[in-house]
Amino acid sequence: MAVFSGATIEGFAGRQALAPRSEQGLSRLAVDRLRRRHVGLRRTGPRFTDRLFFAALPDAETAERIAERAAASRARHGLTGRLLKTGNFHVTLSTVHEGHGLPDAGEIDGWMARAEGISMPSFRVGFDRLMSFANGALVLTGDDSTVGMEVLQQRLCDSLDDTPRPARRYTPHVTLLHDGRHIEAEPVEPIAWTVREVVLVHSLIGQTTHRHIARIPLS
């Protein structure tokens, strides 16, 4: 059962839950992804201001440990990128919306209803490798210790899409900062926590602000 935050979700109250609509045989989620790619290729018009995504979040104590690791890694490698806020550390599972403002309540209700239908027990996830992605993100990632996150991501995406697809290319990771300088992958002391819920996050793009709209406990 989802737990909604007060002010952020007041406007959704009293609305009937609806599944995302299909357009010409494609799920609304798939159409939204195609539109984002198209806009990204054109690179025209105003930038998006709002993003909604499902994520797994570390508990507060683990988030503090990640922040300490991020600061130490930044200093050790001579990076200058801004560290993410401690409260913003997360593992993205699926982005469902990017645009100007939030979608209507019916669409959000539909995504929530589908996400609540996944069957997944709580599990441990661990990150034991530090590396840079091609886009300049310095991240914590792992191998066997992230398998549970891969399973959760696949099941969630299958629930959100009208037609389940084969396993998607997905690398569970926690972004620490962005920097123009890249570092090679290196082993680090593992950081682990128990994933007990999926959170729907509203990100105000460019403002480093995350709002937690709803929480879905794992079974």
PDB file of all heavy atoms in Angstrom, residues 150-184:
ATOM      1  N   GLU A 150      18.700  -5.731  -9.967  1.00  0.00           N
ATOM      2  CA  GLU A 150      18.404  -6.017 -11.366  1.00  0.00           C
ATOM      3  C   GLU A 150      17.068  -6.729 -11.502  1.00  0.00           C
ATOM      4  O   GLU A 150      16.276  -6.431 -12.412  1.00  0.00           O
ATOM      5  CB  GLU A 150      19.527  -6.851 -11.972  1.00  0.00           C
ATOM      6  CG  GLU A 150      20.870  -6.140 -12.048  1.00  0.00           C
ATOM      7  CD  GLU A 150      21.977  -7.052 -12.551  1.00  0.00           C
ATOM      8  OE1 GLU A 150      21.683  -7.959 -13.357  1.00  0.00           O
ATOM      9  OE2 GLU A 150      23.128  -6.860 -12.138  1.00  0.00           O
ATOM     10  N   VAL A 151      16.793  -7.674 -10.611  1.00  0.00           N
ATOM     11  CA  VAL A 151      15.519  -8.391 -10.639  1.00  0.00           C
ATOM     12  C   VAL A 151      14.365  -7.431 -10.359  1.00  0.00           C
ATOM     13  O   VAL A 151      13.335  -7.448 -11.040  1.00  0.00           O
ATOM     14  CB  VAL A 151      15.525  -9.541  -9.618  1.00  0.00           C
ATOM     15  CG1 VAL A 151      14.139 -10.192  -9.537  1.00  0.00           C
ATOM     16  CG2 VAL A 151      16.581 -10.581  -9.988  1.00  0.00           C
ATOM     17  N   LEU A 152      14.528  -6.581  -9.343  1.00  0.00           N
ATOM     18  CA  LEU A 152      13.490  -5.608  -9.007  1.00  0.00           C
ATOM     19  C   LEU A 152      13.214  -4.680 -10.179  1.00  0.00           C
ATOM     20  O   LEU A 152      12.052  -4.402 -10.518  1.00  0.00           O
ATOM     21  CB  LEU A 152      13.917  -4.794  -7.786  1.00  0.00           C
ATOM     22  CG  LEU A 152      12.989  -3.638  -7.376  1.00  0.00           C
ATOM     23  CD1 LEU A 152      11.590  -4.143  -7.052  1.00  0.00           C
ATOM     24  CD2 LEU A 152      13.586  -2.875  -6.193  1.00  0.00           C
ATOM     25  N   GLN A 153      14.258  -4.189 -10.824  1.00  0.00           N
ATOM     26  CA  GLN A 153      14.094  -3.268 -11.949  1.00  0.00           C
ATOM     27  C   GLN A 153      13.346  -3.938 -13.104  1.00  0.00           C
ATOM     28  O   GLN A 153      12.458  -3.338 -13.721  1.00  0.00           O
ATOM     29  CB  GLN A 153      15.464  -2.764 -12.420  1.00  0.00           C
ATOM     30  CG  GLN A 153      15.409  -1.613 -13.399  1.00  0.00           C
ATOM     31  CD  GLN A 153      15.494  -2.059 -14.850  1.00  0.00           C
ATOM     32  OE1 GLN A 153      15.709  -3.241 -15.141  1.00  0.00           O
ATOM     33  NE2 GLN A 153      15.329  -1.114 -15.760  1.00  0.00           N
ATOM     34  N   GLN A 154      13.681  -5.198 -13.391  1.00  0.00           N
ATOM     35  CA  GLN A 154      13.022  -5.911 -14.479  1.00  0.00           C
ATOM     36  C   GLN A 154      11.534  -6.117 -14.170  1.00  0.00           C
ATOM     37  O   GLN A 154      10.673  -5.886 -15.020  1.00  0.00           O
ATOM     38  CB  GLN A 154      13.695  -7.267 -14.708  1.00  0.00           C
ATOM     39  CG  GLN A 154      13.065  -8.099 -15.821  1.00  0.00           C
ATOM     40  CD  GLN A 154      13.260  -7.514 -17.199  1.00  0.00           C
ATOM     41  OE1 GLN A 154      14.352  -7.061 -17.522  1.00  0.00           O
ATOM     42  NE2 GLN A 154      12.215  -7.524 -18.017  1.00  0.00           N
ATOM     43  N   ARG A 155      11.230  -6.523 -12.955  1.00  0.00           N
ATOM     44  CA  ARG A 155       9.829  -6.757 -12.590  1.00  0.00           C
ATOM     45  C   ARG A 155       9.026  -5.470 -12.589  1.00  0.00           C
ATOM     46  O   ARG A 155       7.862  -5.451 -13.014  1.00  0.00           O
ATOM     47  CB  ARG A 155       9.760  -7.436 -11.223  1.00  0.00           C
ATOM     48  CG  ARG A 155      10.306  -8.857 -11.233  1.00  0.00           C
ATOM     49  CD  ARG A 155      10.182  -9.543  -9.884  1.00  0.00           C
ATOM     50  NE  ARG A 155      10.748 -10.877  -9.943  1.00  0.00           N
ATOM     51  CZ  ARG A 155      10.782 -11.730  -8.917  1.00  0.00           C
ATOM     52  NH1 ARG A 155      10.274 -11.359  -7.743  1.00  0.00           N
ATOM     53  NH2 ARG A 155      11.323 -12.924  -9.051  1.00  0.00           N
ATOM     54  N   LEU A 156       9.638  -4.391 -12.128  1.00  0.00           N
ATOM     55  CA  LEU A 156       8.947  -3.107 -12.130  1.00  0.00           C
ATOM     56  C   LEU A 156       8.656  -2.649 -13.543  1.00  0.00           C
ATOM     57  O   LEU A 156       7.532  -2.225 -13.860  1.00  0.00           O
ATOM     58  CB  LEU A 156       9.778  -2.061 -11.390  1.00  0.00           C
ATOM     59  CG  LEU A 156       9.228  -0.631 -11.387  1.00  0.00           C
ATOM     60  CD1 LEU A 156       7.881  -0.584 -10.689  1.00  0.00           C
ATOM     61  CD2 LEU A 156      10.209   0.323 -10.727  1.00  0.00           C
ATOM     62  N   CYS A 157       9.656  -2.729 -14.419  1.00  0.00           N
ATOM     63  CA  CYS A 157       9.458  -2.282 -15.803  1.00  0.00           C
ATOM     64  C   CYS A 157       8.439  -3.158 -16.524  1.00  0.00           C
ATOM     65  O   CYS A 157       7.652  -2.663 -17.330  1.00  0.00           O
ATOM     66  CB  CYS A 157      10.795  -2.289 -16.547  1.00  0.00           C
ATOM     67  SG  CYS A 157      11.923  -0.975 -16.033  1.00  0.00           S
ATOM     68  N   ASP A 158       8.428  -4.465 -16.228  1.00  0.00           N
ATOM     69  CA  ASP A 158       7.425  -5.344 -16.820  1.00  0.00           C
ATOM     70  C   ASP A 158       6.024  -4.913 -16.392  1.00  0.00           C
ATOM     71  O   ASP A 158       5.071  -4.965 -17.182  1.00  0.00           O
ATOM     72  CB  ASP A 158       7.665  -6.793 -16.395  1.00  0.00           C
ATOM     73  CG  ASP A 158       8.836  -7.429 -17.126  1.00  0.00           C
ATOM     74  OD1 ASP A 158       9.315  -6.835 -18.112  1.00  0.00           O
ATOM     75  OD2 ASP A 158       9.271  -8.517 -16.704  1.00  0.00           O
ATOM     76  N   SER A 159       5.876  -4.483 -15.132  1.00  0.00           N
ATOM     77  CA  SER A 159       4.570  -4.049 -14.631  1.00  0.00           C
ATOM     78  C   SER A 159       4.143  -2.723 -15.249  1.00  0.00           C
ATOM     79  O   SER A 159       2.961  -2.494 -15.510  1.00  0.00           O
ATOM     80  CB  SER A 159       4.614  -3.910 -13.109  1.00  0.00           C
ATOM     81  OG  SER A 159       4.810  -5.161 -12.482  1.00  0.00           O
ATOM     82  N   LEU A 160       5.111  -1.842 -15.495  1.00  0.00           N
ATOM     83  CA  LEU A 160       4.782  -0.524 -16.029  1.00  0.00           C
ATOM     84  C   LEU A 160       4.470  -0.558 -17.518  1.00  0.00           C
ATOM     85  O   LEU A 160       3.669   0.249 -18.007  1.00  0.00           O
ATOM     86  CB  LEU A 160       5.941   0.440 -15.771  1.00  0.00           C
ATOM     87  CG  LEU A 160       6.213   0.787 -14.313  1.00  0.00           C
ATOM     88  CD1 LEU A 160       7.508   1.597 -14.192  1.00  0.00           C
ATOM     89  CD2 LEU A 160       5.062   1.561 -13.703  1.00  0.00           C
ATOM     90  N   ASP A 161       5.102  -1.476 -18.264  1.00  0.00           N
ATOM     91  CA  ASP A 161       4.870  -1.564 -19.698  1.00  0.00           C
ATOM     92  C   ASP A 161       3.664  -2.449 -19.997  1.00  0.00           C
ATOM     93  O   ASP A 161       3.412  -3.437 -19.307  1.00  0.00           O
ATOM     94  CB  ASP A 161       6.090  -2.147 -20.417  1.00  0.00           C
ATOM     95  CG  ASP A 161       7.189  -1.108 -20.597  1.00  0.00           C
ATOM     96  OD1 ASP A 161       6.878   0.090 -20.567  1.00  0.00           O
ATOM     97  OD2 ASP A 161       8.351  -1.512 -20.763  1.00  0.00           O
ATOM     98  N   ASP A 162       2.917  -2.117 -21.058  1.00  0.00           N
ATOM     99  CA  ASP A 162       1.794  -2.951 -21.460  1.00  0.00           C
ATOM    100  C   ASP A 162       2.259  -4.330 -21.903  1.00  0.00           C
ATOM    101  O   ASP A 162       1.600  -5.330 -21.656  1.00  0.00           O
ATOM    102  CB  ASP A 162       1.030  -2.283 -22.610  1.00  0.00           C
ATOM    103  CG  ASP A 162       0.207  -1.087 -22.128  1.00  0.00           C
ATOM    104  OD1 ASP A 162      -0.123  -1.059 -20.933  1.00  0.00           O
ATOM    105  OD2 ASP A 162      -0.079  -0.198 -22.945  1.00  0.00           O
ATOM    106  N   THR A 163       3.382  -4.388 -22.599  1.00  0.00           N
ATOM    107  CA  THR A 163       3.902  -5.648 -23.103  1.00  0.00           C
ATOM    108  C   THR A 163       5.284  -5.888 -22.526  1.00  0.00           C
ATOM    109  O   THR A 163       6.237  -5.185 -22.872  1.00  0.00           O
ATOM    110  CB  THR A 163       4.013  -5.628 -24.652  1.00  0.00           C
ATOM    111  OG1 THR A 163       2.728  -5.330 -25.199  1.00  0.00           O
ATOM    112  CG2 THR A 163       4.498  -6.975 -25.168  1.00  0.00           C
ATOM    113  N   PRO A 164       5.454  -6.863 -21.600  1.00  0.00           N
ATOM    114  CA  PRO A 164       6.769  -7.146 -21.024  1.00  0.00           C
ATOM    115  C   PRO A 164       7.786  -7.455 -22.109  1.00  0.00           C
ATOM    116  O   PRO A 164       7.486  -8.110 -23.110  1.00  0.00           O
ATOM    117  CB  PRO A 164       6.510  -8.369 -20.140  1.00  0.00           C
ATOM    118  CG  PRO A 164       5.063  -8.256 -19.786  1.00  0.00           C
ATOM    119  CD  PRO A 164       4.403  -7.697 -21.029  1.00  0.00           C
ATOM    120  N   ARG A 165       9.005  -6.985 -21.921  1.00  0.00           N
ATOM    121  CA  ARG A 165      10.076  -7.164 -22.895  1.00  0.00           C
ATOM    122  C   ARG A 165      11.189  -8.008 -22.301  1.00  0.00           C
ATOM    123  O   ARG A 165      11.207  -8.258 -21.092  1.00  0.00           O
ATOM    124  CB  ARG A 165      10.625  -5.800 -23.303  1.00  0.00           C
ATOM    125  CG  ARG A 165       9.622  -4.907 -24.000  1.00  0.00           C
ATOM    126  CD  ARG A 165      10.257  -3.568 -24.335  1.00  0.00           C
ATOM    127  NE  ARG A 165      10.525  -2.780 -23.131  1.00  0.00           N
ATOM    128  CZ  ARG A 165      11.418  -1.794 -23.087  1.00  0.00           C
ATOM    129  NH1 ARG A 165      12.136  -1.505 -24.149  1.00  0.00           N
ATOM    130  NH2 ARG A 165      11.590  -1.105 -21.980  1.00  0.00           N
ATOM    131  N   PRO A 166      12.145  -8.455 -23.145  1.00  0.00           N
ATOM    132  CA  PRO A 166      13.299  -9.185 -22.612  1.00  0.00           C
ATOM    133  C   PRO A 166      14.081  -8.309 -21.641  1.00  0.00           C
ATOM    134  O   PRO A 166      13.864  -7.101 -21.558  1.00  0.00           O
ATOM    135  CB  PRO A 166      14.123  -9.502 -23.871  1.00  0.00           C
ATOM    136  CG  PRO A 166      13.150  -9.436 -24.994  1.00  0.00           C
ATOM    137  CD  PRO A 166      12.164  -8.362 -24.608  1.00  0.00           C
ATOM    138  N   ALA A 167      15.000  -8.929 -20.910  1.00  0.00           N
ATOM    139  CA  ALA A 167      15.789  -8.201 -19.916  1.00  0.00           C
ATOM    140  C   ALA A 167      16.424  -6.965 -20.540  1.00  0.00           C
ATOM    141  O   ALA A 167      16.995  -7.008 -21.618  1.00  0.00           O
ATOM    142  CB  ALA A 167      16.861  -9.113 -19.340  1.00  0.00           C
ATOM    143  N   ARG A 168      16.297  -5.840 -19.846  1.00  0.00           N
ATOM    144  CA  ARG A 168      16.831  -4.577 -20.337  1.00  0.00           C
ATOM    145  C   ARG A 168      18.283  -4.415 -19.898  1.00  0.00           C
ATOM    146  O   ARG A 168      18.694  -4.968 -18.876  1.00  0.00           O
ATOM    147  CB  ARG A 168      15.998  -3.418 -19.782  1.00  0.00           C
ATOM    148  CG  ARG A 168      14.531  -3.473 -20.211  1.00  0.00           C
ATOM    149  CD  ARG A 168      13.642  -2.827 -19.171  1.00  0.00           C
ATOM    150  NE  ARG A 168      12.249  -2.793 -19.586  1.00  0.00           N
ATOM    151  CZ  ARG A 168      11.412  -3.820 -19.477  1.00  0.00           C
ATOM    152  NH1 ARG A 168      11.840  -4.983 -18.997  1.00  0.00           N
ATOM    153  NH2 ARG A 168      10.160  -3.702 -19.863  1.00  0.00           N
ATOM    154  N   ARG A 169      19.027  -3.641 -20.649  1.00  0.00           N
ATOM    155  CA  ARG A 169      20.391  -3.328 -20.252  1.00  0.00           C
ATOM    156  C   ARG A 169      20.322  -2.369 -19.075  1.00  0.00           C
ATOM    157  O   ARG A 169      19.787  -1.272 -19.180  1.00  0.00           O
ATOM    158  CB  ARG A 169      21.139  -2.689 -21.425  1.00  0.00           C
ATOM    159  CG  ARG A 169      22.611  -2.423 -21.141  1.00  0.00           C
ATOM    160  CD  ARG A 169      23.293  -1.879 -22.369  1.00  0.00           C
ATOM    161  NE  ARG A 169      24.705  -1.611 -22.109  1.00  0.00           N
ATOM    162  CZ  ARG A 169      25.543  -1.113 -23.018  1.00  0.00           C
ATOM    163  NH1 ARG A 169      25.103  -0.848 -24.241  1.00  0.00           N
ATOM    164  NH2 ARG A 169      26.814  -0.898 -22.719  1.00  0.00           N
ATOM    165  N   TYR A 170      20.849  -2.790 -17.953  1.00  0.00           N
ATOM    166  CA  TYR A 170      20.672  -2.020 -16.723  1.00  0.00           C
ATOM    167  C   TYR A 170      21.858  -2.249 -15.798  1.00  0.00           C
ATOM    168  O   TYR A 170      22.256  -3.391 -15.544  1.00  0.00           O
ATOM    169  CB  TYR A 170      19.377  -2.438 -16.032  1.00  0.00           C
ATOM    170  CG  TYR A 170      19.140  -1.789 -14.686  1.00  0.00           C
ATOM    171  CD1 TYR A 170      18.938  -0.418 -14.576  1.00  0.00           C
ATOM    172  CD2 TYR A 170      19.102  -2.561 -13.523  1.00  0.00           C
ATOM    173  CE1 TYR A 170      18.709   0.180 -13.337  1.00  0.00           C
ATOM    174  CE2 TYR A 170      18.873  -1.975 -12.285  1.00  0.00           C
ATOM    175  CZ  TYR A 170      18.673  -0.609 -12.200  1.00  0.00           C
ATOM    176  OH  TYR A 170      18.451  -0.021 -10.978  1.00  0.00           O
ATOM    177  N   THR A 171      22.444  -1.169 -15.317  1.00  0.00           N
ATOM    178  CA  THR A 171      23.564  -1.242 -14.383  1.00  0.00           C
ATOM    179  C   THR A 171      23.167  -0.505 -13.108  1.00  0.00           C
ATOM    180  O   THR A 171      23.184   0.734 -13.066  1.00  0.00           O
ATOM    181  CB  THR A 171      24.834  -0.586 -14.977  1.00  0.00           C
ATOM    182  OG1 THR A 171      25.165  -1.229 -16.209  1.00  0.00           O
ATOM    183  CG2 THR A 171      25.997  -0.706 -14.005  1.00  0.00           C
ATOM    184  N   PRO A 172      22.791  -1.222 -12.058  1.00  0.00           N
ATOM    185  CA  PRO A 172      22.436  -0.553 -10.802  1.00  0.00           C
ATOM    186  C   PRO A 172      23.617   0.276 -10.293  1.00  0.00           C
ATOM    187  O   PRO A 172      24.752  -0.198 -10.262  1.00  0.00           O
ATOM    188  CB  PRO A 172      22.138  -1.721  -9.853  1.00  0.00           C
ATOM    189  CG  PRO A 172      21.805  -2.872 -10.753  1.00  0.00           C
ATOM    190  CD  PRO A 172      22.668  -2.692 -11.955  1.00  0.00           C
ATOM    191  N   HIS A 173      23.347   1.498  -9.887  1.00  0.00           N
ATOM    192  CA  HIS A 173      24.429   2.364  -9.418  1.00  0.00           C
ATOM    193  C   HIS A 173      23.877   3.510  -8.578  1.00  0.00           C
ATOM    194  O   HIS A 173      22.699   3.851  -8.670  1.00  0.00           O
ATOM    195  CB  HIS A 173      25.213   2.946 -10.605  1.00  0.00           C
ATOM    196  CG  HIS A 173      24.390   3.822 -11.492  1.00  0.00           C
ATOM    197  ND1 HIS A 173      23.581   3.327 -12.500  1.00  0.00           N
ATOM    198  CD2 HIS A 173      24.225   5.187 -11.517  1.00  0.00           C
ATOM    199  CE1 HIS A 173      22.967   4.333 -13.100  1.00  0.00           C
ATOM    200  NE2 HIS A 173      23.335   5.472 -12.520  1.00  0.00           N
ATOM    201  N   VAL A 174      24.754   4.081  -7.775  1.00  0.00           N
ATOM    202  CA  VAL A 174      24.453   5.289  -7.004  1.00  0.00           C
ATOM    203  C   VAL A 174      25.376   6.385  -7.505  1.00  0.00           C
ATOM    204  O   VAL A 174      26.606   6.263  -7.429  1.00  0.00           O
ATOM    205  CB  VAL A 174      24.695   5.071  -5.492  1.00  0.00           C
ATOM    206  CG1 VAL A 174      24.409   6.362  -4.731  1.00  0.00           C
ATOM    207  CG2 VAL A 174      23.845   3.924  -4.963  1.00  0.00           C
ATOM    208  N   THR A 175      24.819   7.445  -8.057  1.00  0.00           N
ATOM    209  CA  THR A 175      25.630   8.563  -8.544  1.00  0.00           C
ATOM    210  C   THR A 175      26.081   9.428  -7.372  1.00  0.00           C
ATOM    211  O   THR A 175      25.274   9.784  -6.508  1.00  0.00           O
ATOM    212  CB  THR A 175      24.830   9.418  -9.543  1.00  0.00           C
ATOM    213  OG1 THR A 175      24.467   8.609 -10.663  1.00  0.00           O
ATOM    214  CG2 THR A 175      25.654  10.615 -10.023  1.00  0.00           C
ATOM    215  N   LEU A 176      27.385   9.768  -7.358  1.00  0.00           N
ATOM    216  CA  LEU A 176      27.956  10.585  -6.294  1.00  0.00           C
ATOM    217  C   LEU A 176      28.131  12.036  -6.709  1.00  0.00           C
ATOM    218  O   LEU A 176      27.906  12.954  -5.933  1.00  0.00           O
ATOM    219  CB  LEU A 176      29.315  10.010  -5.870  1.00  0.00           C
ATOM    220  CG  LEU A 176      29.342   8.519  -5.498  1.00  0.00           C
ATOM    221  CD1 LEU A 176      30.760   8.100  -5.126  1.00  0.00           C
ATOM    222  CD2 LEU A 176      28.369   8.221  -4.373  1.00  0.00           C
ATOM    223  N   LEU A 177      28.554  12.237  -7.977  1.00  0.00           N
ATOM    224  CA  LEU A 177      28.784  13.577  -8.514  1.00  0.00           C
ATOM    225  C   LEU A 177      29.017  13.460 -10.008  1.00  0.00           C
ATOM    226  O   LEU A 177      29.107  12.352 -10.546  1.00  0.00           O
ATOM    227  CB  LEU A 177      29.994  14.242  -7.837  1.00  0.00           C
ATOM    228  CG  LEU A 177      31.354  13.517  -7.908  1.00  0.00           C
ATOM    229  CD1 LEU A 177      32.110  13.821  -9.208  1.00  0.00           C
ATOM    230  CD2 LEU A 177      32.231  13.910  -6.732  1.00  0.00           C
ATOM    231  N   HIS A 178      29.110  14.598 -10.683  1.00  0.00           N
ATOM    232  CA  HIS A 178      29.471  14.644 -12.098  1.00  0.00           C
ATOM    233  C   HIS A 178      30.743  15.471 -12.245  1.00  0.00           C
ATOM    234  O   HIS A 178      30.896  16.517 -11.605  1.00  0.00           O
ATOM    235  CB  HIS A 178      28.353  15.249 -12.941  1.00  0.00           C
ATOM    236  CG  HIS A 178      27.174  14.338 -13.130  1.00  0.00           C
ATOM    237  ND1 HIS A 178      26.175  14.216 -12.180  1.00  0.00           N
ATOM    238  CD2 HIS A 178      26.842  13.493 -14.144  1.00  0.00           C
ATOM    239  CE1 HIS A 178      25.276  13.346 -12.608  1.00  0.00           C
ATOM    240  NE2 HIS A 178      25.657  12.901 -13.793  1.00  0.00           N
ATOM    241  N   ASP A 179      31.652  14.991 -13.080  1.00  0.00           N
ATOM    242  CA  ASP A 179      32.919  15.682 -13.244  1.00  0.00           C
ATOM    243  C   ASP A 179      33.442  15.410 -14.659  1.00  0.00           C
ATOM    244  O   ASP A 179      33.219  14.339 -15.225  1.00  0.00           O
ATOM    245  CB  ASP A 179      33.940  15.169 -12.209  1.00  0.00           C
ATOM    246  CG  ASP A 179      35.138  16.088 -12.076  1.00  0.00           C
ATOM    247  OD1 ASP A 179      36.089  15.953 -12.877  1.00  0.00           O
ATOM    248  OD2 ASP A 179      35.122  16.944 -11.173  1.00  0.00           O
ATOM    249  N   GLY A 180      34.137  16.405 -15.220  1.00  0.00           N
ATOM    250  CA  GLY A 180      34.686  16.243 -16.561  1.00  0.00           C
ATOM    251  C   GLY A 180      35.843  15.258 -16.625  1.00  0.00           C
ATOM    252  O   GLY A 180      36.207  14.781 -17.696  1.00  0.00           O
ATOM    253  N   ARG A 181      36.426  14.963 -15.490  1.00  0.00           N
ATOM    254  CA  ARG A 181      37.538  14.029 -15.438  1.00  0.00           C
ATOM    255  C   ARG A 181      37.029  12.640 -15.088  1.00  0.00           C
ATOM    256  O   ARG A 181      36.246  12.472 -14.157  1.00  0.00           O
ATOM    257  CB  ARG A 181      38.542  14.500 -14.388  1.00  0.00           C
ATOM    258  CG  ARG A 181      39.780  13.649 -14.280  1.00  0.00           C
ATOM    259  CD  ARG A 181      40.714  14.230 -13.237  1.00  0.00           C
ATOM    260  NE  ARG A 181      41.808  13.341 -12.938  1.00  0.00           N
ATOM    261  CZ  ARG A 181      42.640  13.488 -11.912  1.00  0.00           C
ATOM    262  NH1 ARG A 181      42.481  14.525 -11.098  1.00  0.00           N
ATOM    263  NH2 ARG A 181      43.605  12.634 -11.700  1.00  0.00           N
ATOM    264  N   HIS A 182      37.460  11.626 -15.821  1.00  0.00           N
ATOM    265  CA  HIS A 182      37.017  10.259 -15.605  1.00  0.00           C
ATOM    266  C   HIS A 182      38.081   9.471 -14.848  1.00  0.00           C
ATOM    267  O   HIS A 182      39.283   9.699 -15.023  1.00  0.00           O
ATOM    268  CB  HIS A 182      36.735   9.557 -16.933  1.00  0.00           C
ATOM    269  CG  HIS A 182      35.510  10.072 -17.619  1.00  0.00           C
ATOM    270  ND1 HIS A 182      34.816   9.338 -18.548  1.00  0.00           N
ATOM    271  CD2 HIS A 182      34.847  11.254 -17.509  1.00  0.00           C
ATOM    272  CE1 HIS A 182      33.786  10.037 -18.990  1.00  0.00           C
ATOM    273  NE2 HIS A 182      33.782  11.203 -18.380  1.00  0.00           N
ATOM    274  N   ILE A 183      37.628   8.528 -14.016  1.00  0.00           N
ATOM    275  CA  ILE A 183      38.561   7.641 -13.326  1.00  0.00           C
ATOM    276  C   ILE A 183      38.262   6.203 -13.714  1.00  0.00           C
ATOM    277  O   ILE A 183      37.131   5.841 -14.044  1.00  0.00           O
ATOM    278  CB  ILE A 183      38.483   7.810 -11.791  1.00  0.00           C
ATOM    279  CG1 ILE A 183      37.132   7.316 -11.270  1.00  0.00           C
ATOM    280  CG2 ILE A 183      38.695   9.252 -11.383  1.00  0.00           C
ATOM    281  CD1 ILE A 183      37.095   7.142  -9.772  1.00  0.00           C
ATOM    282  N   GLU A 184      39.289   5.365 -13.690  1.00  0.00           N
ATOM    283  CA  GLU A 184      39.127   3.957 -13.996  1.00  0.00           C
ATOM    284  C   GLU A 184      38.440   3.249 -12.833  1.00  0.00           C
ATOM    285  O   GLU A 184      38.523   3.676 -11.680  1.00  0.00           O
ATOM    286  CB  GLU A 184      40.491   3.311 -14.261  1.00  0.00           C
ATOM    287  CG  GLU A 184      41.211   3.859 -15.483  1.00  0.00           C
ATOM    288  CD  GLU A 184      40.454   3.566 -16.767  1.00  0.00           C
ATOM    289  OE1 GLU A 184      39.828   2.481 -16.844  1.00  0.00           O
ATOM    290  OE2 GLU A 184      40.487   4.410 -17.683  1.00  0.00           O
TER     291      GLU A 184
END
